[in-house]
Amino acid sequence: MHSSQGADLFSDLADQYAASHEIHLEALCRYQRAQCLNAGRASTEAERHEVQKERAAEYERAAELFDGVGDVRQAGRAWYHAAYEYNWLGLVLPDYREKCFATCNIAAARFEVSGDWWGKGLAESLAGQTLRQNSVGSPSDLRNLPSLQLAVDSFRRADRPLEAAGALMTVAVEQSRSASPDEWMPTAVGALHAYEDARPGLQMPHDREQWDRTIIANGVRPLASKVRRVAGEVSDHPLWDELIWLLIEAPKARSFQDQHLQDEAWNSLVTFDTELSTAIKTKEQAELGKARLERNIGALLVSGLPEEDIDATDQELRGHEESLKEAQRKIKVRIEELARENPERTELVSTAPVSLSELQGFLNAGEAYLTYRWNGGAPLRALLTSTHYSSELAKGAFSTFVRQAAAEALEGVVLSDIDPDLTAALVGRIPDGIHTLIISPDSLLLGLPWHQLPAPTPSDPNALLGDRYTLAITPAGGVLRHLRSEFCKHAPVQRDATYMGVSCKGDRQKPLHFADLEVANIKEDYFASDSASISLMTEECHRFLDTGCNVGLLHLACHAERHGILLSQDGCWTTPVDLLKRQGRSFGADILLLTGCFAGDFSREESNEFLGIIRQLMVVTGARAAVTSVAPAVDAAGPLFADMLLSALTGTKLHRPWPAPDGPMAVGRAVAWTKQTMRKLYPVPESVKDLIDGFPALPWHPAWWSPWLVVGDPSARLYGDDSPEPK
């Protein structure tokens, strides 16, 4: 009833071979029949369970037959498939858990005899997980840990470091249920390091997505939850600081939050490198050949061909499996080489975490890196300076406060009823002498308007966090390392011009009325003497891709969303990877300025990879910082914000109705100065209207100054690192 036509055919063949005592062919037919049975076609849950029982029983019967003729390799596979079915049954029918555990051990023994250490690890890993209890606080089965630890060893012998790291993470989670901190904390730290060591070998964005999710879901989340419950007991443990750092940073700047752009970046990387492209084609051909031969074995059985022909096909199948392994090895080696040879391209795919000591070497005096993991509203927080590190569990009722502040920021209103004590509890104690906070938020904290949070002082009870500190946002410590690496910061780059501005009004339904005016004003007022600087208005914006750029400041006044920037009048969106595909054109900039809405919108998901274009635009252009928005921006505010910002970046003193800066500022300080200046511009002088074509201006209102922030390195300068910044 539940068997497909193919399953019935293999059942008849199995009976015929059994009658003629052709045991190996009978075993192959029963194995094929089990694969044909499809539980997905069952109409009820009870029927699906019956199909799973039938599949498991048929796999087990095939395994016994393979054992009888001494084919331990096929026996191991059949025993493992049977165990896999019993595991699913055990989720709803607990009696099958013991059956799964016993069958896994049989499969592991067969895999060991055949020398298949990967299969042995899979069987042991399944055995170690099938008896686990899902409820927190439930007693652990004493057989779980030994099985999982055996799986770690087997995966290592099979040279499968990713699976070994995953199994070790499962050991850490299992230990955290009942073992002492001296047991589970070293295992957790070791597992996270093992995964980072193995991750460069992941070949495709989908592979990274799958493994990142597995490690985070199965490891970081439960371990962070454990830390939340026992922080008061283990915060003085010697591994506390390192564990908290790894739990916070491991999920960040990963690839799986924007799979479309990551796939596009990967395809560009493959096209760029002939050796990698060839290895991937070899891998794909081996996979196709393997799948074809697996199907052929079933067809040969149905045809009734001699067993010798079936054995020959099986040998050919093993050859394709070996070719597949060799292609995977070559891809791994080449990706590791590309990571060293082409950091800007591999950085597009995702960013690896950075160690504490390494990141400390990239921090300047007076800077603090403040990083979070949301952790269900009980944030883990770490603060790092060039000489200091501290980590703790932030204490407070943050969920309502964070949701309210993020929602109000998106509406462009003044934050209301924000308790300064709650802000202080979230931010923690900032050491004396710190003037710049580089913040790496997570989950709901991504939407928090950090610069608007209250941070009163004895001298100014109304001070905001953005008044006390220069603020910048970065998705992860690894991104900051990249931005300040030798590649980005110190590579000698001779710019062709200081400025390129590109504006596009967009479509008729959502036109940007002031985009052209914004770019025209900046070019005329700040770069008129630089004959090489360029401005492309809406009618010419399409020329940007054909022109390229090599400038200090790339200014884009256009619509921007998570999937790209709109630099055409025909609705064609441009992604950062498109800039890599232009033959004979390069796109370089030190600083990016994007004044459209939402250009820097973050993910509210478990990772805090940028959902959109900013990080990739920075990587493609080599920019160290971007000034962008995370909320709707008032169309008319763009020209005013851009004018003040350029005044601060260049140190230019024009006749404006506000105090002029003392000299060129770094981008972080320039944005802070611009926001503070706009807030204080009340009442608004009539002359301000001249900058926005007579439009009524409200620069003091949060909707006009709040959306923009600095992403990346706040110390980046328009005229290079050697230009002085005023005190």
Side-chain angles (χ1 to χ4, degrees), residues 513-593:
H513 298 288
F514 296 93
D516 285 346
L517 176 68
E518 179 181 323
V519 169
N521 284 352
I522 296 301
K523 173 66 169 65
E524 179 180 350
D525 291 343
Y526 292 95
F527 303 102
S529 61
D530 183 359
S531 59
S533 290
I534 301 173
S535 60
L536 299 174
M537 307 305 173
T538 297
E539 292 75 14
E540 300 180 294
C541 65
H542 60 278
R543 289 179 48 205
F544 172 62
L545 290 178
D546 295 324
T547 303
C549 66
N550 185 20
V551 296
L553 176 68
L554 177 58
H555 176 193
L556 302 175
C558 60
H559 285 299
E561 294 185 1
R562 293 176 174 180
H563 60 273
I565 49 180
L566 186 59
L567 291 177
S568 74
Q569 293 181 279
D570 58 4
C572 182
W573 292 81
T574 298
T575 72
V577 181
D578 290 331
L579 306 187
L580 288 175
K581 298 177 181 177
R582 310 302 291 189
Q583 294 294 328
R585 298 288 181 270
S586 62
F587 296 84
D590 295 319
I591 296 174
L592 303 176
L593 170 59

Side-chain angles (χ1 to χ4, degrees), residues 342-361:
N342 303 277
E344 75 284 4
R345 287 181 178 268
T346 53
E347 187 76 11
L348 274 172
V349 179
S350 65
T351 300
V354 60
S355 69
L356 271 167
S357 58
E358 188 180 6
L359 187 56
Q360 280 185 311

Side-chain angles (χ1 to χ4, degrees), residues 379-572:
L380 293 174
R381 178 183 64 227
L383 184 138
L384 184 69
T385 72
S386 60
T387 59
H388 166 82
Y389 173 72
S390 63
S391 60
E392 60 186 323
L393 186 72
K395 297 180 180 179
F398 298 113
S399 293
T400 300
F401 145 60
V402 169
R403 287 187 173 89
Q404 175 188 332
E408 290 178 344
L410 285 176
E411 295 173 2
V413 300
V414 179
L415 297 187
S416 60
D417 300 325
I418 301 297
D419 184 354
D421 293 337
L422 206 54
T423 298
L426 179 64
V427 174
R429 183 187 178 280
I430 306 300
D432 295 337
I434 295 300
H435 55 69
T436 299
L437 292 181
I438 303 172
I439 303 173
S440 179
D442 176 58
S443 192
L444 293 180
L445 295 174
L446 296 167
L448 197 63
W450 294 88
H451 48 280
Q452 284 198 70
L453 298 183
T457 65
S459 60
D460 186 359
N462 297 315
L464 305 180
L465 196 65
D467 297 327
R468 294 184 61 179
Y469 302 100
T470 295
L471 302 180
I473 301 295
T474 186
V479 173
L480 186 63
R481 170 190 57 194
H482 175 78
L483 296 175
R484 291 185 172 179
S485 66
E486 293 296 319
F487 170 77
C488 268
K489 187 174 181 182
H490 301 297
V493 176
Q494 184 65 43
R495 297 301 184 193
D496 297 331
T498 306
Y499 174 79
M500 182 175 191
V502 186
S503 59
C504 182
K505 294 180 180 178
D507 55 39
R508 295 179 180 178
Q509 294 182 346
K510 292 170 44 179
L512 296 176
H513 298 288
F514 296 93
D516 285 346
L517 176 68
E518 179 181 323
V519 169
N521 284 352
I522 296 301
K523 173 66 169 65
E524 179 180 350
D525 291 343
Y526 292 95
F527 303 102
S529 61
D530 183 359
S531 59
S533 290
I534 301 173
S535 60
L536 299 174
M537 307 305 173
T538 297
E539 292 75 14
E540 300 180 294
C541 65
H542 60 278
R543 289 179 48 205
F544 172 62
L545 290 178
D546 295 324
T547 303
C549 66
N550 185 20
V551 296
L553 176 68
L554 177 58
H555 176 193
L556 302 175
C558 60
H559 285 299
E561 294 185 1
R562 293 176 174 180
H563 60 273
I565 49 180
L566 186 59
L567 291 177
S568 74
Q569 293 181 279
D570 58 4
C572 182

